[in-house]
Amino acid sequence: MVENGLIENFKFSKFQITIKAKDTLALPRYKGSTFRGGFGNSFKKVVCINRGNICDECMLKEKCVYAYIFETPVPENSDIMRKYRYCPHPFIIEPPKNTKTAFKSGEELAFGLVLIGKAIDYLPYFIYTFEELGKIGIGKGRGKYELVKVTSRGSGTESEGNSIYSGDKKVLKSNFKTLTLDDIQSPANSAGISLNFTTPTRIVYDTQLTLDLEFHILIRALLRRISLLSYFHCGTDISDLDFKGIIEKSKNIETSNSSLKWYDWERYSARQDTRMKLGGFKGEVTFEGEMKDFMPFILLGEQAHVGKGTSFGLGEYEIT
């Protein structure tokens, strides 16, 4: 049995950022790469004082806001992932769900931002960076925009809450909530669950990207993501959980229906000077079996996404 207390320190906050086009914005159908890529470049210009060096060679990397947020190095004294250069990013940019590709001057669009653990303290950096990005421009032709407002969001599907920042007044309020597992409402039915994956989801199992999503594969990915985010960004080591036992039990859950289909998309990486294919599955899948022990991870995964490329908004699902 999973005790919620073991992951009660997993904290996150959710926001909606509304922008208004000043020029015509020419954006791709999936806008996650545009916003995340533009954010990274703008963030470095805002906070980096040693732009000539890459983060690995910079003596300030252990204390640098950019390195923590965007490069997210594994600390030297870490008990886990010491063979890896980077740990999971503590932020998620959730792009607009519409596939519209052209926004005329004066049109508004909104996207989500999720900050996890210590990254919540850096919300002012995110807001300022997105304002600066609007002056630089995004998408094909570098169309410029202005940041209209930032609102807080709850853990559910509601799009707006308290207004915490106005592009006109330039004052950031602190009237937003830091959320935990206790703030997420669990579905009443514990004998089965349906998940709708709304953005391309890239889950690797046995060295391969998976399309036929078995429940134990999903649980493995959620355990990994939640445990790493907890350790590196929320200051909590949840390795005392019986991961092996949870995974073994998850193999008893069956797939009763699946409409998952592969969705291909590409992004250009300026750092690697190459185009990258980042396809993943989308659609709905239904699992049957006793869900009680798995719900804490499924609920947190609905907020924190799952799989690879989450900072681009990949791996988003809804409990339907």
Side-chain angles (χ1 to χ4, degrees):
M1 182 175 178
V2 177
E3 296 291 341
N4 288 1
L6 292 173
I7 48 179
E8 66 181 1
N9 289 327
F10 190 97
K11 294 179 171 60
F12 62 98
S13 290
K14 303 180 72 174
F15 308 93
Q16 178 171 285
I17 299 175
T18 303
I19 63 175
K20 181 194 297 183
K22 298 178 70 174
D23 306 323
T24 296
L25 301 182
L27 304 176
R29 290 170 60 86
Y30 184 77
K31 302 166 184 63
S33 60
T34 299
F35 281 103
R36 198 272 203 176
F39 163 76
N41 293 330
S42 183
F43 199 101
K44 192 163 190 176
K45 291 178 181 178
V46 166
V47 305
C48 182
I49 63 173
N50 195 11
R51 299 178 192 173
N53 289 348
I54 60 175
C55 292
D56 284 347
E57 300 172 353
C58 181
M59 64 181 293
L60 303 175
K61 66 179 180 180
E62 295 294 335
K63 299 296 182 179
C64 175
V65 176
Y66 173 82
Y68 170 66
I69 294 295
F70 205 76
E71 298 291 346
T72 320
V74 176
E76 292 183 358
N77 62 347
S78 174
D79 291 329
I80 61 175
M81 287 189 73
R82 283 179 289 185
K83 294 182 180 180
Y84 294 84
R85 294 176 62 189
Y86 306 114
C87 54
H89 297 312
F91 72 94
I92 302 163
I93 296 173
E94 298 179 326
K97 292 296 189 296
N98 65 64
T99 57
K100 185 176 178 178
T101 58
F103 294 82
K104 297 178 181 179
S105 176
E107 286 192 89
E108 292 187 355
L109 68 155
F111 58 93
L113 173 68
V114 183
L115 300 181
I116 298 166
K118 292 181 290 185
I120 299 170
D121 294 336
Y122 297 119
L123 174 62
Y125 286 90
F126 281 82
I127 294 176
Y128 182 73
T129 297
F130 279 117
E131 280 199 314
E132 291 300 299
L133 178 58
K135 299 173 185 177
I136 298 171
I138 59 172
K140 187 176 181 181
R142 296 286 185 183
K144 295 179 173 55
Y145 68 81
E146 60 179 293
L147 193 153
V148 177
K149 62 181 177 179
V150 180
T151 53
S152 65
R153 297 162 56 202
S155 62
T157 57
E158 67 272 20
S159 60
E160 293 193 40
N162 296 326
S163 176
I164 63 170
Y165 184 81
S166 166
D168 293 332
K169 297 181 179 179
K170 311 291 185 185
V171 175
L172 177 60
K173 302 176 183 178
S174 60
N175 59 332
F176 64 87
K177 188 175 182 180
T178 298
L179 304 166
T180 67
L181 182 61
D182 289 338
D183 297 300
I184 309 173
Q185 185 174 359
S186 181
N189 178 23
S190 65
I193 196 167
S194 292
L195 306 178
N196 181 29
F197 289 87
T198 58
T199 64
T201 302
R202 296 167 58 82
I203 294 179
V204 174
Y205 175 66
D206 199 18
T207 72
Q208 299 291 326
L209 285 169
T210 185
L211 173 59
D212 298 322
L213 184 64
E214 297 178 40
F215 188 72
H216 74 92
I217 296 176
L218 174 64
I219 289 300
R220 290 171 193 268
L222 287 171
L223 285 172
R224 176 177 173 81
R225 178 154 174 77
I226 300 304
S227 64
L228 292 179
L229 290 173
S230 295
Y231 182 86
F232 288 111
H233 302 301
C234 300
T236 302
D237 185 353
I238 64 172
S239 60
D240 286 342
L241 285 173
D242 182 13
F243 284 10
K244 185 175 180 180
I246 295 170
I247 292 171
E248 284 301 312
K249 193 170 183 180
S250 71
K251 294 178 181 178
N252 296 323
I253 304 297
E254 297 183 351
T255 304
S256 63
N257 187 50
S258 177
S259 63
L260 299 179
K261 295 182 180 179
W262 197 256
Y263 177 91
D264 272 320
W265 69 288
E266 288 186 343
R267 69 171 289 258
Y268 173 73
S269 172
R271 287 194 300 172
Q272 301 182 44
D273 190 26
T274 186
R275 299 201 67 83
M276 306 169 62
K277 283 188 174 293
L278 291 174
F281 61 78
K282 293 174 65 176
E284 191 163 325
V285 60
T286 300
F287 299 109
E288 289 188 356
E290 178 53 55
M291 292 288 163
K292 184 177 180 180
D293 286 354
F294 311 112
M295 285 311 301
F297 303 102
I298 294 174
L299 290 168
L300 288 178
E302 187 180 26
Q303 311 299 324
H305 297 210
V306 67
K308 302 172 72 66
T310 52
S311 64
F312 294 91
L314 301 186
E316 181 178 28
Y317 64 82
E318 299 171 348
I319 301 172
T320 59

